[in-house]
Amino acid sequence: MSKPVQPSMTTAYFAQCVISFGVALGSVTLGVIYLPIDAWIRAFLAIAVLYTVTSAFVLAKCIRDRHEVANMASRIDQARLDKLLSEHDPYKADSL
């Protein structure tokens, strides 16, 4: 049985993702703060941005969990198939 290649995330890639997220969130936050609008509209936009960010995290987690479940199911199926193949003897005569 061949072991599937596990994708690895480098430290540089992780840092780039975190920095990119921080810059994007900071830019939107500064944009909302310095908009020439009333405070209640600014508060509404801030809540909308916060909701968008949290729902993006939840969506990413759901996609990751679905992928892990599918990957686990395929590994279980592969293990069952490997067991059947290892126990199969093509030269054994079936008794009727």
Side-chain angles (χ1 to χ4, degrees), residues 38-58:
D38 292 337
W40 70 272
I41 298 172
R42 191 175 293 123
F44 175 79
L45 290 174
I47 294 296
V49 167
L50 182 63
Y51 179 66
T52 302
V53 168
T54 56
S55 62
F57 277 117
V58 170

Side-chain angles (χ1 to χ4, degrees), residues 78-89:
Q78 183 65 39
R80 286 181 182 155
L81 179 63
D82 288 344
K83 182 180 179 202
L84 283 173
L85 289 175
S86 68
E87 292 174 352
H88 177 69
D89 185 5

Side-chain angles (χ1 to χ4, degrees), residues 19-85:
I19 291 169
S20 175
F21 174 75
V23 168
L25 188 61
S27 300
V28 171
T29 302
L30 285 174
V32 168
I33 289 172
Y34 288 110
L35 273 174
I37 53 177
D38 292 337
W40 70 272
I41 298 172
R42 191 175 293 123
F44 175 79
L45 290 174
I47 294 296
V49 167
L50 182 63
Y51 179 66
T52 302
V53 168
T54 56
S55 62
F57 277 117
V58 170
L59 177 63
K61 183 184 178 310
C62 288
I63 290 170
R64 184 202 63 203
D65 290 348
R66 177 181 271 182
H67 175 73
E68 285 179 353
V69 165
N71 192 15
M72 179 62 72
S74 89
R75 279 205 253 151
I76 291 171
D77 290 342
Q78 183 65 39
R80 286 181 182 155
L81 179 63
D82 288 344
K83 182 180 179 202
L84 283 173
L85 289 175

Side-chain angles (χ1 to χ4, degrees), residues 92-96:
K92 182 180 177 185
D94 291 332
S95 60
L96 298 175

